[in-house]
Amino acid sequence: MKTLTLTAAMLTATALAGTAQADKLDDIISSGTLRCAVVLDFPPMGMRDDSNTPIGFDVDYCNDLAAALGVEAEIVETPFPERIPALMSGRVDVGVASTSDTLERAKTVGFSVPYFAFEMAVTANDSTGIASFEDMKGHTVGAVAGTYEAIALQAQVEAWGEGDFRPYQTQADVFLALSQGQLDATVSTSTVAQANVQSGNFGGISVVGKAPFDTDYVALFAKRDDYGLLNYLDLFVNQQVRTGRYAELYEKWVGGELPDLTVGGVYR
Amino acid sequence: MFDYTFQWKQALAKLPQMLDGAVVTMEVAVLSMVIGILLAVILTLLRLSGSRPLAAIATTWVEIARNTPALFQIYMAHFGVASFGIHFSPFVSLLIGITFNNAGYLAENFRGALKAIPDTQTRAGRSLGMSQLQAFRFIILPQMLRISFLPMTNQMVWAILMTSLGVTVGMNTDLYGVTQDLNALTFRTFELFAIAAVIFYAITKVITLGARLLAARLFRY
């Protein structure tokens, strides 16, 4: 009887210890599925092909991560404003959603090291004669609400003291408004600008130059206290670059010169 | 499983900005109600006019306003009309969208109210020497507004809540727009939306209480 009690107690203890030790990384591996939040109206990072299948840099990146973990990838379409609710309500495990790693946001979620870097480009409606970033002064400009470039552009419009700023909910709406002439110009990541101008869906607009904003580093994100997972993500980003997979994906979806993911002179 | 640490301090620091947004929300809602009631009265008159083309215009308006999503109406007021080269600012687009919707719903409310008023009322007015329009203005309209007062309060609440659809047309100065912007900036989604919900609730509560007081005053007899 004593041995039985002891065994039972030990079994309970082991079970308790087991659940206490299992972290998010273990959960993902044992569940067999990695659910990624991906923004699918943000070409070439995330979009849908003719048969409505999600494709893009972020989609491939999620697939690579799942393969590394030895699980199936599940792409969960998540518009920009819904990234955090999706993570907090447990609908996704990790965000592969071109998310700028701002300090303000890092108070809420945990970021990996940067996995991609964007240059900012100015796209203008051809009829406005805007040919550079400075020409935007006094015009009606806009960007996708809450993005890195929207925050910087709104601040710039306020600094100029003239002109209007309008945030739209999706990148598609921004380019629609731009091609309709509701917006005179927009600042977006250069990859997205090129993809949309070349898509032919929006007439009368051209990429006219670079915006003098800092490089927009974007990172993978997970819950702030999932250290095991965040640690894995850091190493994964590093490995993608080391193995040449990052360069391969960049060439496939974007092309041109590979952006540097590190900042000289500092760690992290 | 919901795993989230609430950080109220960070979100509450944004309360002044959100209250500014609430003022804009009220502006849009009140303007859209005032214009909406006027338009609804005109739509009701058109339906009563006996002229088929005029009645058809009013019917078409009501049909579209009642049977398509408000989101669609606001979106069309911005991106739809822009395809024809007409550009409205987000504020105006939102106002047009909500007012269009309000007018349609209120016109239906008024029609219902009219059905409750016997024809003999108009005839009584006519027999006193009033014109058709005078009888409507002095006898029917006051009764109609009285009967449809509660549905009108409902519509006002609905108008306030509908302002949240402005984000789809680039509106970022109203309560919902401000909240959405702050959300993108800080990622403190649930605190910010909880605060916004409380403000929305407070506004609608004040409106309904105000309406009840007003009704008690207006409809004493």
Side-chain angles (χ1 to χ4, degrees):
Chain A
M1 196 62 199
K2 215 173 184 182
T3 1
L4 195 65
T5 322
L6 199 66
T7 320
M10 278 176 73
L11 275 174
T12 319
T14 322
L16 281 176
T19 43
Q21 275 167 7
D23 69 353
K24 189 70 187 173
L25 188 58
D26 292 327
D27 291 347
I28 294 169
I29 295 167
S30 60
S31 77
T33 311
L34 173 76
R35 296 163 306 160
C36 300
V38 179
V39 181
L40 291 182
D41 78 332
F42 197 62
M45 304 303 284
M47 56 204 162
R48 288 178 184 278
D49 66 8
D50 294 337
S51 57
N52 224 22
T53 314
I55 53 166
F57 185 96
D58 283 346
V59 174
D60 279 356
Y61 213 82
C62 172
N63 288 332
D64 286 357
L65 179 57
L69 288 164
V71 297
E72 287 285 312
E74 185 187 325
I75 305 295
V76 180
E77 176 166 17
T78 314
F80 279 116
E82 284 165 30
R83 286 172 293 186
I84 296 316
L87 182 68
M88 294 306 166
S89 58
R91 272 201 296 131
V92 300
D93 304 312
V94 59
V96 189
S98 309
T99 306
S100 312
D101 56 354
T102 69
L103 286 171
E104 190 70 31
R105 289 168 171 180
K107 292 175 188 168
T108 307
V109 298
F111 285 110
S112 70
V113 293
Y115 78 100
F116 201 89
F118 290 109
E119 294 287 336
M120 294 298 161
V122 177
T123 308
N125 187 303
D126 296 341
S127 64
T128 59
I130 293 173
S132 71
F133 181 75
E134 282 69 30
D135 289 349
M136 291 169 80
K137 186 177 175 179
H139 283 278
T140 301
V141 298
V144 181
T147 55
Y148 180 84
E149 57 272 23
I151 295 161
L153 184 58
Q154 185 162 18
Q156 182 66 62
V157 169
E158 274 158 27
W160 277 333
E162 51 180 310
D164 281 316
F165 174 79
R166 286 183 196 170
Y168 287 99
Q169 287 303 293
T170 68
Q171 197 72 69
D173 279 350
V174 171
F175 283 101
L176 175 61
L178 186 64
S179 114
Q180 286 180 338
Q182 310 229 57
L183 290 177
D184 296 327
T186 181
V187 172
S188 64
T189 57
S190 56
T191 50
V192 165
Q194 295 291 358
N196 276 290
V197 170
Q198 280 161 16
S199 74
N201 293 334
F202 309 101
I205 61 171
S206 320
V207 179
V208 295
K210 279 193 172 178
F213 298 153
D214 295 339
T215 305
D216 178 18
Y217 294 98
V218 295
L220 309 174
F221 65 86
K223 280 190 187 140
R224 207 177 64 172
D225 46 4
D226 285 335
Y227 305 112
L229 178 57
L230 288 168
N231 199 25
Y232 191 91
L233 293 178
D234 281 347
L235 184 60
F236 175 72
V237 170
N238 188 299
Q239 293 264 10
Q240 287 286 90
V241 179
R242 247 198 265 169
T243 56
R245 177 66 173 159
Y246 170 55
E248 197 180 308
L249 285 182
Y250 194 86
E251 186 55 39
K252 176 179 174 188
W253 294 109
V254 188
E257 203 188 328
L258 197 64
D260 194 349
L261 295 179
T262 54
V263 181
V266 290
Y267 290 111
R268 171 87 217 283
Chain B
M1 187 186 68
F2 188 78
D3 182 8
Y4 188 79
T5 321
F6 283 82
Q7 301 282 347
W8 290 103
K9 203 172 171 187
Q10 204 189 337
L12 280 170
K14 313 289 185 190
L15 190 60
Q17 278 168 270
M18 295 176 76
L19 289 175
D20 286 347
V23 173
V24 177
T25 288
M26 290 290 284
E27 273 173 24
V28 176
V30 169
L31 269 175
S32 77
M33 268 312 272
V34 172
I35 306 172
I37 290 172
L38 288 175
L39 285 173
V41 169
I42 294 172
L43 289 177
T44 309
L45 279 174
L46 291 183
R47 277 192 167 186
L48 293 177
S49 66
S51 148
R52 274 188 178 223
L54 291 182
I57 292 173
T59 309
T60 311
W61 183 315
V62 171
E63 286 293 306
I64 297 173
R66 287 213 321 160
N67 300 317
T68 62
L71 177 65
F72 169 79
Q73 293 159 22
I74 293 166
Y75 199 84
M76 289 314 269
H78 194 66
F79 291 109
V81 297
S83 334
F84 301 100
I86 307 163
H87 295 163
F88 294 121
S89 70
F91 184 92
V92 176
S93 302
L94 178 62
L95 184 61
I96 292 174
I98 297 182
T99 307
F100 177 81
N101 192 284
N102 271 345
Y105 271 88
L106 288 169
E108 276 300 277
N109 284 336
F110 291 167
R111 194 159 70 113
L114 279 179
K115 288 208 165 149
I117 305 168
D119 285 348
T120 47
Q121 297 272 314
T122 310
R123 271 186 262 150
R126 297 282 282 154
S127 70
L128 289 171
M130 288 182 179
S131 70
Q132 186 79 27
L133 203 62
Q134 278 175 324
F136 181 79
R137 161 81 183 75
F138 294 110
I139 298 173
I140 305 300
L141 189 65
Q143 295 188 71
M144 183 181 91
L145 291 177
R146 179 175 181 160
I147 296 170
S148 51
F149 191 82
L150 280 178
M152 263 155 64
T153 317
N154 261 346
Q155 194 61 38
M156 179 74 197
V157 170
W158 177 224
I160 289 167
L161 303 183
M162 262 199 294
T163 58
S164 58
L165 298 173
V167 289
T168 56
V169 293
M171 181 86 172
N172 68 335
T173 49
D174 67 315
L175 177 52
Y176 194 82
V178 168
T179 311
Q180 191 73 287
D181 263 16
L182 291 171
N183 172 30
L185 210 59
T186 66
F187 277 8
R188 301 258 46 120
T189 309
F190 296 100
E191 294 89 337
L192 290 165
F193 279 118
I195 295 171
V198 170
I199 300 177
F200 269 118
Y201 185 86
I203 297 174
T204 54
K205 211 67 201 162
V206 167
I207 296 286
T208 37
L209 285 175
R212 200 173 291 169
L213 287 175
L214 191 66
R217 235 191 111 68
L218 284 176
F219 308 140
R220 267 175 301 180
Y221 310 110

